[in-house]
Amino acid sequence: MRGAIVMRPLDPGALLTEVSAPANGAAVLFVGTVRDINDDRAVTALDYKAYTPMAARELEAILREAESRWDGVTVVCEHRTGELSLGDASVVIAAAHPHRAAAFDAARYVIEELKKRVPIWKREHYADGDLEWVDNGAQRAEAPR
Amino acid sequence: MRGAIVMRPLDPGALLTEVSAPANGAAVLFVGTVRDINDDRAVTALDYKAYTPMAARELEAILREAESRWDGVTVVCEHRTGELSLGDASVVIAAAHPHRAAAFDAARYVIEELKKRVPIWKREHYADGDLEWVDNGAQRAEAPR
Amino acid sequence: MMGFSTPVLVFARYADVLGSGTVTVELPSDATAGDVLSAVRALPGADQLPPSPLIAVNQRYAALSQPVRPGDEVALIPPVAGG
Amino acid sequence: MMGFSTPVLVFARYADVLGSGTVTVELPSDATAGDVLSAVRALPGADQLPPSPLIAVNQRYAALSQPVRPGDEVALIPPVAGG
C-alpha cells in the first residue's frame, strides 16, 4: 500500500511495476486524464489543488480499506496536483492480486472512494477565458466516520 | 478495436497509449501474468497454444461486443502464445472512455469472455518436471451463437 | 472560562467567497465543530457558503458535535473533485 | 450420394489423447457437426474425450445440427485456458 499526492507528471508503468509480484497473476491499472470537454464546455487546462496532508492521509486510509477488503491485494495510488494540460494523467491506481476479480474490484473501490472523500479540488480553464471550480457531484452529505 | 494473438513479449504501455484520446478521461489496463503457484503446485514456466485464426476471430468478436455495449469505448487486446516465463504478461487489455465506469466494465467484459470463449490452451510446467494442460473451469457447455 | 481564537483553513470556492485561504474565528472554551461553522457564518461572504459545509478537525472529517480545542487544525472542506 | 473425408483439427489435451493434431474422418454427404463427433469417437484414444466436446466449423463454434460440407474447416475445441 502506498498513496501519495505529487506535483510531478505521473508514470503509470512505474506503478504497474510496483505492484508486480510472482504470486500476482492479475494487475489492473486505472489512469484518469484531463479531458477536453466537460458539460459541453471546451476545457483548455486545469489546476488541481489539495489540502495535501489530509488528502494523503485520507488516500492512505482508502488504500488500507482496500487491502483489508480484498485480502492479499497490493494497491498503490498517486494523485497529481498543480497545473495540468489536456491529456495529462491526474490520477493513477495500480492493483494486483493472484486473481483478477480482486484486482479489478480494489482498483475500482479506490477511485470511487477517492472521488468522494479525498480533499482535492479542480478548477477548469475554459476556451472563453473563464475559470471555474468543479466538483464530482458525489460529496457525502454526512461527515464520514 | 484491435485484437491480436502474438508470439512476442507484450508491452502494456503501448496498449495504454493506443487507446488514449482527448475525449477519454479514463483508461483501464488489465495485465495477466504467469503466476508461480497454481492449485498449490509450483509452476516454473508454461506454454500457451492457440487455434490462432479462430482465436483472433473470436477475440475480435468480443471486442466488437464490448464496443457496442459501451458506446464510445475504445478497447484493444493482445494475447501472447508460445513459451512464457514466470512474471511474463500473457494478456493485456486496454479500454478507454470519457467515463470510468465504461472503461472498467469493458475491460472486465473482455477478460471474462476471453477466458470462456477464445480457443487458447495453457500447459503448465511444474517443478517436479510434470507438464499438464489446465483449463479455466468456465468452458461453456453449449455452442455459443 | 476563557474562549480562544483559532485559524480555519478554507479551500477552493470557499476561499474565493471568504476572500482568503485562512480565516480566524473566536470560539468558546468548550467549542465544537458546529461552533466553528457558526462563527464562520458571521464572516463577510459566508452567505455564499452552502447550508452545511463539511469540516475537518486534525485532518479528519468531523461530526458537528466533535470538540475543538486550542491547537487543533481546523478546515472547511468544499465538495471534492479529485480523480 | 457419396460421402467424403475431412480433416479435423484437434488441440491441446485432445491432440495428446488422439495422438495427432489432425485426424481424418469419413462423413456422409449430408453430414452435420454431430456426425463429425460420432466419427471421431470411433478413433483410437477417443474414449478419453469428454461426453460432448465443443466443435468449430469454419472457425466458429457450431451446434451439433450444423451442416458440414467438403472444404469446411472443422476443429475440436477443448476447454479453453486463455488469459
Side-chain angles (χ1 to χ4, degrees):
Chain A
M1 185 282 287
R2 185 180 65 81
I5 310 299
V6 303
M7 300 202 68
R8 50 164 173 71
L10 301 180
D11 180 353
L15 272 74
L16 193 60
T17 301
E18 186 175 344
V19 298
S20 298
N24 287 339
V28 170
L29 187 72
F30 174 80
V31 183
T33 52
V34 178
R35 285 197 289 152
D36 57 354
I37 298 283
N38 194 15
D39 283 339
D40 295 328
R41 293 183 79 178
V43 176
T44 55
L46 51 73
D47 52 289
Y48 280 95
K49 163 114 179 116
Y51 176 13
T52 302
M54 179 172 168
R57 209 208 130 270
E58 194 70 19
L59 178 56
E60 285 166 8
I62 291 166
L63 296 170
R64 273 192 300 270
E65 288 162 20
E67 293 197 344
S68 111
R69 283 176 75 144
W70 292 280
D71 189 38
V73 81
T74 303
V75 60
V76 299
C77 175
E78 291 185 353
H79 198 299
R80 183 175 170 189
T81 60
E83 291 201 17
L84 276 72
S85 305
L86 293 185
D88 282 350
S90 54
V91 60
V92 178
I93 298 163
H97 191 272
H99 301 290
R100 68 191 179 282
F104 269 104
D105 293 347
R108 185 76 185 266
Y109 178 81
V110 171
I111 186 62
E112 298 299 333
E113 292 298 306
L114 182 157
K115 284 182 167 266
K116 281 184 251 180
R117 293 159 51 184
V118 176
I120 296 177
W121 302 277
K122 176 167 65 174
R123 187 163 52 178
E124 292 182 336
H125 303 217
Y126 302 105
D128 61 10
D130 207 7
L131 293 177
E132 204 167 291
W133 292 106
V134 295
D135 69 61
N136 287 339
Q139 181 84 354
R140 49 207 317 162
E142 292 295 310
R145 282 153 303 143
Chain B
M1 184 282 287
R2 185 180 65 81
I5 310 299
V6 304
M7 299 202 68
R8 51 166 172 68
L10 301 179
D11 180 353
L15 273 74
L16 193 60
T17 301
E18 185 173 346
V19 298
S20 296
N24 287 340
V28 170
L29 187 72
F30 175 80
V31 182
T33 53
V34 178
R35 286 197 288 151
D36 57 354
I37 298 282
N38 195 14
D39 284 339
D40 294 329
R41 292 182 79 177
V43 175
T44 55
L46 51 73
D47 51 290
Y48 281 95
K49 163 117 180 112
Y51 176 14
T52 302
M54 178 171 169
R57 206 208 132 270
E58 193 70 19
L59 178 56
E60 285 167 7
I62 291 166
L63 296 170
R64 273 192 301 271
E65 289 162 18
E67 293 197 345
S68 112
R69 283 177 73 145
W70 292 280
D71 188 39
V73 82
T74 304
V75 60
V76 298
C77 176
E78 291 185 353
H79 198 298
R80 182 175 172 190
T81 60
E83 292 202 16
L84 276 72
S85 306
L86 294 186
D88 282 350
S90 53
V91 60
V92 177
I93 298 163
H97 191 272
H99 301 291
R100 68 190 180 282
F104 269 104
D105 292 348
R108 184 75 186 265
Y109 178 80
V110 171
I111 185 63
E112 298 299 331
E113 291 299 306
L114 183 157
K115 283 182 168 266
K116 280 185 251 181
R117 293 160 51 183
V118 176
I120 296 177
W121 302 277
K122 176 167 67 173
R123 187 162 52 178
E124 291 183 337
H125 302 217
Y126 302 105
D128 60 9
D130 207 7
L131 294 177
E132 202 166 293
W133 293 105
V134 294
D135 69 61
N136 288 338
Q139 180 84 353
R140 48 206 318 160
E142 292 296 310
R145 280 152 305 139
Chain C
M1 282 166 71
M2 293 282 290
F4 62 100
S5 85
T6 194
V8 178
L9 304 173
V10 288
F11 298 95
R13 188 183 289 136
Y14 293 1
D16 292 350
V17 304
L18 294 175
S20 171
T22 310
V23 296
T24 300
V25 296
E26 297 294 322
L27 297 176
S29 62
D30 61 347
T32 63
D35 294 327
V36 173
L37 281 189
S38 302
V40 168
R41 291 209 169 286
L43 299 172
D47 55 317
Q48 293 177 67
L49 294 177
S52 27
L54 290 181
I55 191 161
V57 176
N58 295 329
Q59 303 177 3
R60 292 166 191 260
Y61 289 103
L64 294 183
S65 60
Q66 183 168 323
V68 173
R69 299 188 178 87
D72 283 348
E73 182 174 312
V74 180
L76 288 191
I77 309 293
V80 302
Chain D
M1 283 168 68
M2 292 281 290
F4 62 100
S5 84
T6 193
V8 177
L9 304 173
V10 287
F11 297 94
R13 190 182 289 135
Y14 294 0
D16 291 349
V17 304
L18 294 175
S20 172
T22 312
V23 296
T24 301
V25 296
E26 297 294 322
L27 297 176
S29 62
D30 61 347
T32 63
D35 293 327
V36 173
L37 280 190
S38 302
V40 167
R41 290 207 171 287
L43 299 173
D47 54 319
Q48 293 176 68
L49 294 178
S52 25
L54 290 181
I55 190 161
V57 176
N58 295 328
Q59 303 177 3
R60 293 167 191 261
Y61 290 103
L64 293 183
S65 59
Q66 183 168 323
V68 173
R69 299 187 179 87
D72 283 348
E73 181 173 313
V74 180
L76 288 192
I77 308 293
V80 303

